Amino acid sequence: MTTIQLLVLITVFLIASVISVITGSTSLITVPIMLQFGVEPRTALATNMLALTFMSVGGTLPFIGKGVIDRRRLPRLIVLTLAGSILGALLVLVVPSKSMPLIISISMIVVTVLSIANRNAGVVPAEVIPSRIAEIAGYIVTFLLGIYGGFFSGGYVTLLTAAYVMLFRMTFVQAIATTKLINIFSSFVATLIFMMQGIVDYKLGVILGFTMFIGGIIGGHITLSLSSMWLQRIYLTVVSILAFVTLRKSWQSNQSASHD
């Protein structure tokens, strides 16, 4: 990789990490650009996971001591995330990897529609305690998304944030802070497994990881400075753009495959 390509990667990873503290979906941006620069797919996924671990630590630090992390649910959420992430990093998923972008883009579009339909969700603290069914569903979704997060992570935190807002009735600030902390465990355990498989580019991973660590800190401070209303607007705007761009790429890929 040339110096110019490395500088481009650093710039993209920095900007993506700042924005994705709020929106998630970092890997939908970072992994494709690594592939464009000739990084082997498995190495790109593994190295990106290492960088995501650094970003999650940096993104969590500004929230420590601010009272916005859901400490009551945290132990169970971490256990479920670890279990799911281990499965995601180890198992060969039944769903073909080419189908992932389509599934995630559709999921994000559904999240956007539901969020618009329920505009107060995540904007103001919920006055009603989540039902038992919603609470259980939140834990189930945490485990299932943990599997996906350990495998690829593109869109993982985005969907997890939406789930916590809708099921646990968290505000956007609470959901963002809690998912950032949880993502440390998801990314770290997947990274350990990828390390054991020998597919992590440590030199590139440390450079990009440090970049994303700084971006995470900046993004965390920006998040704390914004109201839940603005966080919702930024979240829905970026997620909608990413969803339609990913859907378009998936459709074009399927069209090309059908003509071959």
Side-chain angles (χ1 to χ4, degrees):
M1 184 176 297
T2 67
T3 302
I4 294 178
Q5 287 178 324
L6 180 59
L7 290 175
V8 171
L9 274 182
I10 290 173
T11 302
V12 171
F13 270 61
L14 179 63
I15 295 173
S17 58
V18 172
I19 297 174
S20 66
V21 169
I22 299 174
T23 64
S25 298
T26 320
S27 299
L28 294 179
I29 300 172
T30 55
V31 171
I33 193 170
M34 292 175 75
L35 297 177
Q36 288 293 320
F37 286 166
V39 181
E40 194 271 330
R42 293 176 72 227
T43 301
L45 287 174
T47 305
N48 178 70
M49 198 68 74
L50 174 61
L52 284 178
T53 304
F54 281 89
M55 188 202 79
S56 297
V57 173
T60 300
L61 289 178
F63 298 112
I64 301 297
K66 302 297 183 181
V68 291
I69 296 175
D70 189 341
R71 296 182 180 274
R72 180 175 66 85
R73 296 186 179 97
L74 198 57
R76 280 168 286 185
L77 295 176
I78 289 175
V79 169
L80 290 169
T81 297
L82 286 172
S85 297
I86 291 172
L87 286 175
L90 288 176
L91 296 178
V92 178
L93 300 186
V94 177
V95 180
S97 59
K98 290 183 179 180
S99 300
M100 283 297 176
L102 178 62
I103 294 172
I104 294 303
S105 60
I106 291 175
S107 298
M108 288 195 289
I109 291 172
V110 171
V111 164
T112 303
V113 172
L114 291 176
S115 298
I116 293 174
N118 190 9
R119 295 183 180 182
N120 289 329
V123 176
V124 294
E127 297 180 358
V128 180
I129 298 175
S131 67
R132 182 67 176 170
I133 294 177
E135 190 81 11
I136 293 174
Y139 291 120
I140 293 174
V141 169
T142 297
F143 174 71
L144 295 177
L145 286 178
I147 296 175
Y148 173 70
F151 174 72
F152 174 50
S153 189
Y156 163 60
V157 173
T158 304
L159 299 176
L160 197 62
T161 299
Y164 288 178
V165 167
M166 296 178 185
L167 298 174
F168 289 148
R169 302 295 183 181
M170 294 183 186
T171 64
F172 268 98
V173 174
Q174 291 171 332
I176 290 169
T178 303
T179 54
K180 282 296 156 294
L181 179 55
I182 290 173
N183 199 37
I184 294 176
F185 295 90
S186 173
S187 301
F188 181 66
V189 71
T191 299
L192 287 179
I193 293 173
F194 291 142
M195 285 179 174
M196 289 187 287
Q197 294 175 348
I199 57 176
V200 176
D201 185 331
Y202 292 101
K203 182 179 179 181
L204 181 61
V206 170
I207 293 173
L208 297 178
F210 178 75
T211 299
M212 296 187 82
F213 175 78
I214 299 300
I217 292 176
I218 295 172
H221 283 294
I222 292 175
T223 300
L224 287 171
S225 68
L226 297 173
S227 67
S228 290
M229 178 65 76
W230 271 105
L231 292 175
Q232 184 194 53
R233 291 171 179 170
I234 295 171
Y235 175 87
L236 291 178
T237 300
V238 176
V239 169
S240 298
I241 293 173
L242 286 173
F244 282 108
V245 168
T246 306
L247 187 63
R248 181 184 177 188
K249 288 182 178 179
S250 178
W251 182 81
Q252 289 177 335
S253 177
N254 291 333
Q255 287 293 106
S256 299
S258 64
H259 288 307
D260 291 340

